[in-house]
């Protein structure tokens, strides 16, 4: 006869839709040092991206190896100083080079899957603990000033943190929730430099300043936590504005998603 696998309890399949109401609101600041910082002071970054990670070290070693193999097989593509000749194309790819490339692709796929699993669990964590989530809407690479290595570094961190993936997972799970869960995209303008205590704009703060003191009220702030608190306050304001529009019958501005 046909064998049927025993059914697992639904909470093992869809834990995100069983999140109880909490009546709590949280602001989330996507950042460079920590992928996610909350208004409650928590900070999250996928462990798989740690520079001390064993696979991360192996990946860097393989990338150096594939560079040596490529240079050995295609010397015509490089100038005497080792820089790439523009307009040239590789003519030779050895079996060893292709094998090394496959190893690199395998490790990158592992990182991608680990990151996806991490943000899946993190989205469930927030939906279980909060009813309203405001996420700062910023593209990390736009924070980079200048060119060259600094711009490249910002782009790499933005790609590795993959905040857009976290947002998508959180919104999808919020839509599946049996209890009302709201997720807002909040414009991050001035959230970093505005003191969450007195609302004073501290315009002298640069990207390298992680801890700062308000020049007006003297309050001391962690850069990312302060931004997350301001995002939370903006989320509350947007909800109140949406409620007032609903009562008056006006159309609600399309600034948020749930």
């Amino acid at each position: 006869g046909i064998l049927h696998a025993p059914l697992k309890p639904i909470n093992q399949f869809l834990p995100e839709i069983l999140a109880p109401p909490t009546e709590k609101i949280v602001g989330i600041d996507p950042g460079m040092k920590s992928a996610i910082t909350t208004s409650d002071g928590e900070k999250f970054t996928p462990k798989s991206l740690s520079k001390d990670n064993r696979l991360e070290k192996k990946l860097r070693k393989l990338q150096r190896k594939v560079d040596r193999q490529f240079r050995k097989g295609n010397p015509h593509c490089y100038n005497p100083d080792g820089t790439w000749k523009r307009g040239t194309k590789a003519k030779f790819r050895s079996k060893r080079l292709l094998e090394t490339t496959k190893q690199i692709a395998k490790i990158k796929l592992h990182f991608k899957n680990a990151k996806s699993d991490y943000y899946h669990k993190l989205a469930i964590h927030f939906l279980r603990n909060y009813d309203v989530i405001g996420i700062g809407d910023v593209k990390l690479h736009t924070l980079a000033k200048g060119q060259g290595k600094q711009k490249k570094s910002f782009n790499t961190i933005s790609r590795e943190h993959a905040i857009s993936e976290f947002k998508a997972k959180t919104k999808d799970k919020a839509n599946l929730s049996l209890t009302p869960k709201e997720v807002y995209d909040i414009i991050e303008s001035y959230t970093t430099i505005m003191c969450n205590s007195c609302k004073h704009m501290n315009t002298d703060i640069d990207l390298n300043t992680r801890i700062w003191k308000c020049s007006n009220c003297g309050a001391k702030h962690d850069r990312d936590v302060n931004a997350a608190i301001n995002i939370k306050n903006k989320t509350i304001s947007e909800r109140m504005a949406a409620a007032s529009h609903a009562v008056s019958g006006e159309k609600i501005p399309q600034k948020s998603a749930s």
Side-chain angles (χ1 to χ4, degrees):
I2 299 175
L3 296 177
H4 296 278
L7 292 176
K8 294 182 179 180
I10 189 171
N11 62 347
Q12 292 190 32
F13 285 109
L14 299 171
E16 60 271 24
I17 70 172
L18 299 175
T22 64
E23 299 183 357
K24 292 170 66 178
I25 301 175
V26 68
I28 294 176
D29 174 52
M32 303 299 295
K33 292 290 183 180
S34 299
I36 289 173
T37 302
T38 75
S39 52
D40 291 336
E42 293 182 300
K43 297 189 177 186
F44 302 90
T45 299
K47 292 181 180 179
S48 61
L49 302 181
S50 169
K51 296 303 179 184
D52 296 327
N53 186 280
R54 178 178 57 84
L55 282 179
E56 180 70 29
K57 292 180 180 179
K58 184 177 180 181
L59 176 62
R60 294 199 298 271
K61 184 177 180 180
L62 287 172
Q63 287 172 331
R64 291 192 295 268
K65 181 179 179 181
V66 81
D67 182 64
R68 290 195 302 270
Q69 291 172 333
F70 190 88
R71 287 175 181 270
K72 184 177 180 180
N74 301 276
H76 64 283
C77 293
Y78 297 90
N79 295 312
D81 61 356
T83 57
W84 178 266
K85 286 184 181 179
R86 290 188 177 182
T88 56
K89 293 184 179 180
K91 297 180 180 178
F92 179 74
R93 294 180 185 273
S94 66
K95 290 183 178 180
R96 290 185 177 181
L97 172 62
L98 294 176
E99 182 61 33
T100 307
T101 304
K102 288 180 181 179
Q103 292 177 21
I104 291 174
K106 187 176 180 180
I107 293 177
K108 286 186 175 181
L109 179 61
H110 171 81
F111 282 149
K112 180 181 178 181
N113 292 338
K115 190 191 310 174
S116 179
D117 179 66
Y118 180 84
Y119 283 136
H120 164 76
K121 293 175 180 175
L122 195 59
I124 293 174
H125 164 77
F126 283 117
L127 290 170
R128 280 177 172 170
N129 290 281
Y130 303 96
D131 283 349
V132 181
I133 303 170
I135 306 176
D137 187 15
V138 63
K139 294 179 175 60
L140 297 182
H141 68 268
T142 61
L143 298 176
K145 296 181 180 179
Q147 300 295 327
K149 291 184 178 180
Q150 184 183 17
K151 191 82 171 179
K152 183 179 179 181
S153 175
F154 271 74
N155 290 340
T156 300
I157 294 174
S158 176
R159 183 173 62 253
E160 288 183 343
H161 284 181
I163 297 302
S164 58
E165 182 178 354
F166 167 71
K167 282 186 180 181
K169 289 183 183 297
T170 305
K171 290 177 181 179
D172 289 344
K173 295 179 191 304
N175 290 331
L176 291 173
S177 178
L178 297 178
T179 53
K181 302 288 180 180
E182 303 173 49
V183 182
Y184 288 79
D185 285 320
I186 303 298
I187 297 174
E188 279 207 43
S189 303
Y190 307 112
T191 55
T192 299
I193 63 174
M194 183 175 71
C195 173
N196 69 71
S197 299
C198 69
K199 312 305 179 187
H200 177 70
M201 294 292 180
N202 295 264
T203 55
D204 57 335
I205 299 172
D206 58 30
L207 284 172
N208 295 321
T209 305
R210 310 310 306 176
I211 304 292
W212 55 273
K213 189 175 181 180
C214 178
S215 59
N216 182 55
C217 69
K220 193 174 182 180
H221 299 295
D222 176 289
R223 175 194 186 90
D224 297 331
V225 175
N226 175 72
I229 293 173
N230 284 327
I231 289 170
K232 176 182 177 179
N233 293 336
K234 282 192 172 188
T235 303
I236 295 171
S237 297
E238 285 209 9
R239 289 189 77 226
M240 292 176 64
S244 64
H245 281 295
V247 171
S248 63
E250 298 178 15
K251 290 185 178 181
I252 300 174
Q254 299 298 313
K255 291 185 179 179
S256 62
S258 60

